[in-house]
Amino acid sequence: MTAEKTSLTSSPISDQLEELHRTFSSIGEGAVATYIPELAKANPNWFGICIVTTNGGIYEAGDSRQEFTIQSISKPFVYGLALEDHGRSEVLKKVGVEPTGDAFNSISLDPVTGTPRNPMINAGAIASTGLIEGRTPQVRINRILEMFGRYVGRDLKVDAGVYASESATGHRNRAIGFMLRNFNVLEQDPMPIVETYFQQCSILGHCRDLATMAATLANRGVNPLTGVQAIRGEYVESVLGVMGTCGMYDYAGEWLYDVGMPAKSGVAGGVIAVLPGQLGIGVFSPPLDAKGNSVRGVRVCSALSRRWDLHLFNRPGIGKSVVRLRLNAAEFNSSRVRSLPENEILREHGRRIQVFQLQGNLVFATAEYVVRELTECTGLECLILDFRYVVSINESAAHLFHDILCNLHAAGCVVLFTGLGNNSPLRRLIRTRLGDRSEDLFRTFEDLDGALQWCEDRLLARVMPSIPDTSIAVTRYELLNGLSREEMAIVQKFFERRNFAVGEVIIQAGEPAHELFLLTRGVVSVFLPLDDGRRKRLATFSPGMAFGEMAMIDHAPRSATIIADTDVSCDLLTIGKLTALGAVHPKIKIHILENLSLDLCRKLRKANREIAQLV
Amino acid sequence: MTAEKTSLTSSPISDQLEELHRTFSSIGEGAVATYIPELAKANPNWFGICIVTTNGGIYEAGDSRQEFTIQSISKPFVYGLALEDHGRSEVLKKVGVEPTGDAFNSISLDPVTGTPRNPMINAGAIASTGLIEGRTPQVRINRILEMFGRYVGRDLKVDAGVYASESATGHRNRAIGFMLRNFNVLEQDPMPIVETYFQQCSILGHCRDLATMAATLANRGVNPLTGVQAIRGEYVESVLGVMGTCGMYDYAGEWLYDVGMPAKSGVAGGVIAVLPGQLGIGVFSPPLDAKGNSVRGVRVCSALSRRWDLHLFNRPGIGKSVVRLRLNAAEFNSSRVRSLPENEILREHGRRIQVFQLQGNLVFATAEYVVRELTECTGLECLILDFRYVVSINESAAHLFHDILCNLHAAGCVVLFTGLGNNSPLRRLIRTRLGDRSEDLFRTFEDLDGALQWCEDRLLARVMPSIPDTSIAVTRYELLNGLSREEMAIVQKFFERRNFAVGEVIIQAGEPAHELFLLTRGVVSVFLPLDDGRRKRLATFSPGMAFGEMAMIDHAPRSATIIADTDVSCDLLTIGKLTALGAVHPKIKIHILENLSLDLCRKLRKANREIAQLV
């Protein structure tokens, strides 16, 4: 694999591939195809291997950039294009999907309907080529070349010499073309269609192209190296379906048993194999066995399958790791700073608010686990589903979530989403099904913290009386807790009252910190400015609380911006005034510092408990 | 699904299954098998569906507990037992794996060798039964029944009536038996083997049994409801391989194309389908189509596959979520309490220590991503691999990790493991390959915190001079930082010196907190007692630091136990003394409280930064 930085070590995967290449280089069996003179020119020693993963890993060994003609490997891809052009049911009327157990060049038409048994034999492949849309043969081969360009991420072209050679000798395929015309499987002149078929077989590619094509099929049609959609995801299973049962000619059963991956070979010596969701393999080595498959190609795929446990049917259970974190508001809270009584209420009733942070791919089986956990939740009032770490949601998972969420909503549970992209299948489904109501039913928050705060506020509002929008008395400042009436009166003289209008900046990030603020009236929020110009809410304070005290203590510049959420009144205590207070009334300052330490101490304990839950 | 608690809502999966059951109940096509009188007695309206997931979810609809004989569904399971008894290569000598494209009762022996083409046709199934070990026919059928018992989690038995009926009419199968004897595929008297075959076909089970059998195959041979291993994991791919290409008789190609799951049907109306890693499906409905498959069984599997996107070849890319957390010691630290200069060194050089917390199933493709990230790490000195959230590691992933870790070790990087069970394949592989050296090469820690602390200590020891094992001066207490020499002398009078021997308990969890401790000499650790009698290290302190101050501030009982890691000397400051100090020297107490707040403030900022990284 190409390392761009200086690495500490080489990859064991590259090492293993090199070793495999060395081992299988010595195989002398098989013979280069000679049915056309151009193919007979191939060097029997050419030997390349390439692996491309759906995560974008690339591993190459040997002659992985030696070009050759893809031949029959074109068949499943052109079949895929035919599916895109006409849909599955129309295509199935023209070409079947049953393995024949016959050799690659057998005609194998259904005795009754005349349709080819499957698209991997020549008859079925020619029928597929006949389904490619385009006014002229040139338009059709161009569409085929553009398709392969999407699969491999570079422009491919037809080898003129091989094409001329194929065309000069391809009488059997012309016979097949006319048989297909006879049964009306082809509805136009078969001659130009057969020519296009010769051209698609003569497209030049190398091993890395093969592996990228295979990896694109493994990645639901998206080229993992370029991000380009080469074929609509819904047709990938059909392309792999015919490769799975018919891709290796009459060797299909043993192949699926032994190697366990859908595959396709070509007479020039190419082989591709696909492990859905995971990776694609491309091998090139011209000598063929009696069944027309590359000898080293078959051996390499078999060895890789065994060594790397790639067999499609050998899968570990999906487990429960679709739930990355499961939290509740009794144990984990938003960054909104709460008063002591508020924190107590959250500790007591917070289990009614549950957070499921999901991750990875949501398909039926992973969604099933989440849905089951949700149906088994007791005493649930607010549910937050956090999709921040979700890679994909397929349609069936989206439906399950839609259904369970509607059920929960109907049962009185409030459902919130975070980290769910606007274009996720779930969001689209909900909009389609529920229309304008959708945003009311399922609130969406940018981040988990905001959603959690909303749920906590809701819970607290139901349990506690709301704070009136009037100034609170100095006696209710948490920082002055425990001082006598006389002491409070003294402290008050050191305060400076300030008012801020809604939206006004109270503290600007980056400025030096000279004071702490005691909130008398209104609500303020702490924001972190983000690189993209937006800002992230970090905390919210309500009357009675102090803010800005940490920067004052550690003399750091203000780390965040604080803005008035409502009209706000504060009492300011500057460093100078606090020092003056200490000089005249040391006992009062000691008391304030003890309260401050107590507050910090509680917050630190809570933060440590939360960290323990997260790692 | 059976809900044990009162749930807020029903499961949409159960609802969908019920709906599907209702929809397909109205299908009137097909005919109940009549080739033996016992089967003809079946009620054509019986109709059950069951889904079991590898996570243990169970969903049932209709007559899911109606018993019937499993018939040909026994074939792949008995084939699996033959593989366990003889290994793959011996079994392959007796039975092939190529689909025939022929009907279920075709004899289909290879014209040259006489071996049956595959184990799903009667000839291949009888040959498989002939491979079951056991001195007598009774022992053999008992072993078969025990095997099914492991698959379904209950004792199954043979229906005597059906068996008698099968035996009375099974002349064609006896003919097959003698043909197999003729070719020496069966090496003993075929008559008792054919009887055992009739018995295995006459085993009674219900839909839920079928789904559990299928889910066991989906779960690499482990029954997901009981945890019992029903078949060795290595043979599951072979059982599913023959089901994949030959399980639905001459409907196999279309089935894999349309439904996309290995499957098997029986003439009594049962069908199983397996989605490896995810789930098993069992359907029961007696009326059969012309190919011998249950009409409703085929329709239900096809509908479920389409509705729930279950097609084997339709898989999303695995993505990168195998790495749950990626941390480095510049941004995230162990709970060991560090001095200011230590914290600065960690901030500056901590990127040399990297943590990869992995999760889910480690197979080739997920391991590949981790291995690639590791080869691309620059400046790596210590690597911690945390396996706490890993569900499974297969052999190929274990090999990749072994190789990359040996490479990293050779390049001078220290590798540590946490959360890796003693029996994990990786641990076993390392022991086998490296023997006694293994524990030296790759240190194992119980938890991430301990490993991270070890790496930090190592980094700090290389950058900072070590702390000598002598008492430090009072002037170096962080809490007294900034006091004048005279003030320090005053404070010292309020201290009480205490010594503790190594291992001695300094603070006991649960006791009231009356003092804070200033560490003069030695190292102490904070432990949380666990329910199982063990204890978890929470933090470690070194000379100059204060401990036990939080409980003193918030008057909570001691939350943890503190133990002397070495011989230790401390200065104690009791609440009473601190109050007395404040009364006489308020300026000094103010200074101490300010230092205390500063320390708490820094810890809180760090904890909040860490939380932001983890959620």
Side-chain angles (χ1 to χ4, degrees), chain A residues 377-408:
Chain A
C377 274
T378 48
L380 186 62
E381 284 183 11
C382 275
L383 169 68
I384 301 172
L385 283 178
D386 184 12
F387 293 87
R388 178 178 166 191
Y389 291 96
V390 167
V391 177
S392 74
I393 310 175
N394 75 4
E395 290 291 329
S396 69
H399 274 90
L400 285 185
F401 277 108
H402 170 271
D403 292 357
I404 185 73
L405 298 180
C406 286
N407 288 1
L408 286 170

Side-chain angles (χ1 to χ4, degrees), chain B residues 100-114:
Chain B
T100 62
D102 299 327
F104 70 95
N105 57 359
S106 77
I107 299 188
S108 294
L109 304 186
D110 184 289
V112 181
T113 63

Side-chain angles (χ1 to χ4, degrees), chain A residues 59 220 315 317 361 368 615, chain B residues 59 314-315 317 361 368 388:
Chain A
Y59 303 89
R220 286 209 83 217
R315 291 291 177 92
N361 290 307
E368 182 275 335
V615 179
Chain B
Y59 303 89
N314 184 353
R315 290 292 177 93
N361 291 306
E368 183 274 335
R388 177 178 168 193

Side-chain angles (χ1 to χ4, degrees), chain B residues 233-551:
Chain B
E234 61 190 292
Y235 293 119
V236 168
E237 64 180 55
S238 304
V239 172
L240 292 176
V242 292
M243 286 168 65
T245 50
C246 323
M248 299 300 278
Y249 309 116
D250 42 342
Y251 188 57
E254 205 174 323
W255 177 271
L256 199 66
Y257 186 88
D258 178 40
V259 179
M261 287 181 269
K264 188 74 201 85
S265 63
V267 282
V271 177
I272 63 168
V274 178
L275 184 56
Q278 305 194 15
L279 52 83
I281 301 173
V283 189
F284 168 55
S285 165
L288 308 180
D289 63 20
K291 292 177 174 173
N293 298 315
S294 164
V295 174
R296 287 179 187 145
V298 169
R299 297 276 190 92
V300 167
C301 290
S302 171
L304 285 176
S305 173
R306 209 168 315 117
R307 176 174 292 200
W308 290 346
D309 293 317
L310 301 182
H311 199 293
L312 192 62
F313 295 152
N314 184 353
R315 290 292 177 93
I318 46 157
K320 296 168 182 180
S321 47
V322 59
V323 178
R324 182 178 187 272
L325 278 177
R326 188 172 167 178
L327 303 168
N328 70 65
E331 292 163 354
F332 188 89
N333 293 110
S334 72
S335 58
R336 172 148 188 173
V337 182
R338 303 287 178 187
S339 67
L340 279 181
E342 286 175 329
N343 272 327
E344 260 161 49
I345 290 169
L346 290 177
R347 225 176 356 255
E348 192 182 342
H349 302 288
R351 287 183 183 281
R352 301 182 200 168
I353 302 169
Q354 303 244 355
V355 180
F356 282 73
Q357 187 176 61
L358 310 179
Q359 69 188 350
N361 291 306
L362 298 178
V363 297
F364 174 80
T366 46
E368 183 274 335
Y369 174 67
V370 182
V371 164
R372 182 149 45 99
E373 291 288 302
L374 289 175
T375 57
E376 288 171 4
C377 274
T378 48
L380 186 64
E381 285 183 12
C382 274
L383 169 68
I384 301 171
L385 284 177
D386 183 12
F387 292 87
R388 177 178 168 193
Y389 291 97
V390 167
V391 177
S392 74
I393 310 177
N394 76 2
E395 290 292 329
S396 69
H399 274 89
L400 285 186
F401 278 108
H402 169 271
D403 291 356
I404 185 73
L405 298 180
C406 286
N407 287 0
L408 285 170
H409 178 80
C413 175
V414 176
V415 178
L416 295 84
F417 295 137
T418 61
L420 189 63
N422 217 6
N423 273 323
S424 97
L426 177 55
R427 199 75 169 268
R428 274 187 278 122
L429 182 69
I430 288 174
R431 269 199 302 268
T432 312
R433 294 275 184 91
L434 305 176
D436 294 341
R437 290 168 57 225
S438 66
E439 294 299 310
D440 298 337
L441 256 62
F442 305 116
R443 280 159 204 277
T444 306
F445 285 80
E446 216 163 291
D447 63 8
L448 178 57
D449 193 62
L452 194 51
Q453 181 177 322
W454 187 92
C455 293
E456 290 167 359
D457 287 348
R458 185 176 174 276
L459 176 67
L460 291 169
R462 291 174 59 188
V463 180
M464 282 182 94
S466 67
I467 301 149
D469 187 28
T470 53
S471 296
I472 59 161
V474 171
T475 51
R476 285 185 48 201
Y477 287 147
E478 289 177 3
L479 211 57
L480 306 187
N481 202 15
L483 287 179
S484 69
R485 193 166 296 265
E486 294 73 33
E487 287 171 327
M488 291 213 189
I490 293 168
V491 175
Q492 213 166 351
K493 292 181 196 144
F494 290 81
F495 288 159
E496 182 185 331
R497 174 62 55 101
R498 283 274 187 82
N499 295 310
F500 300 92
V502 53
E504 200 171 335
V505 173
I506 303 173
I507 286 177
Q508 182 73 55
E511 288 182 350
H514 299 301
E515 64 276 294
L516 67 79
F517 294 76
L518 293 150
L519 191 56
T520 310
R521 182 175 63 96
V523 176
V524 304
S525 283
V526 186
F527 291 95
L528 196 68
L530 299 178
D531 291 338
D532 59 3
R534 288 178 313 144
R535 55 195 193 190
K536 181 178 153 65
R537 185 187 301 254
L538 288 184
T540 302
F541 293 87
S542 43
M545 295 174 180
F547 61 88
E549 80 286 12
M550 281 173 64

Side-chain angles (χ1 to χ4, degrees), chain A residues 9 33 98 102 135 165 172 174 257 259 277 412 456 591 609:
Chain A
T9 175
E98 282 301 327
D102 299 326
R135 275 180 307 100
S165 194
R172 187 184 177 91
R174 289 194 183 91
Y257 186 88
V259 179
E456 290 167 357
H591 205 103
R609 277 197 306 270

Side-chain angles (χ1 to χ4, degrees), chain B residues 51-221:
Chain B
I51 315 281
V52 172
T53 75
T54 55
N55 268 325
I58 310 170
Y59 303 89
E60 296 177 67
D63 308 311
S64 60
R65 306 294 179 103
Q66 169 63 47
E67 291 203 324
F68 55 92
T69 53
I70 61 172
Q71 299 290 343
S72 290
I73 297 173
S74 66
K75 292 171 178 174
F77 297 92
V78 172
Y79 179 70
L81 188 56
L83 288 171
E84 289 196 297
D85 280 354
H86 299 275
R88 221 173 331 248
S89 60
E90 285 306 304
V91 171
L92 283 172
K93 288 179 194 160
K94 300 287 188 187
V95 193
V97 293
E98 283 299 326
T100 62
D102 299 327
F104 70 95
N105 57 359
S106 77
I107 299 188
S108 294
L109 304 186
D110 184 289
V112 181
T113 63
T115 51
R117 290 294 174 91
N118 71 65
M120 299 297 101
I121 53 171
N122 288 1
I126 293 167
S128 304
T129 304
L131 288 166
I132 302 309
E133 292 282 2
R135 275 178 309 99
T136 66
Q138 193 55 50
V139 170
R140 293 195 283 270
I141 188 65
N142 283 348
R143 288 191 65 227
I144 291 172
L145 283 167
E146 281 158 20
M147 170 194 71
F148 279 110
R150 294 193 296 275
Y151 273 103
V152 303
R154 67 186 192 109
D155 290 335
L156 297 186
K157 58 179 206 295
V158 172
D159 182 304
V162 174
Y163 164 49
S165 193
E166 297 272 4
S167 182
T169 60
H171 311 304
R172 187 183 177 92
N173 285 326
R174 288 194 184 92
I176 291 173
F178 278 102
M179 282 298 288
L180 294 171
R181 181 71 190 85
N182 172 60
F183 283 108
N184 263 317
V185 172
L186 293 182
E187 294 171 11
Q188 320 153 41
D189 180 3
M191 292 296 275
I193 291 170
V194 173
E195 290 304 313
T196 304
Y197 173 72
F198 293 143
Q199 288 174 319
Q200 80 182 47
C201 290
S202 306
I203 291 172
L204 283 169
H206 49 51
C207 238
R208 181 169 166 152
D209 291 332
L210 292 191
T212 311
M213 286 154 66
T216 301
L217 290 177
N219 200 33
R220 287 209 83 217

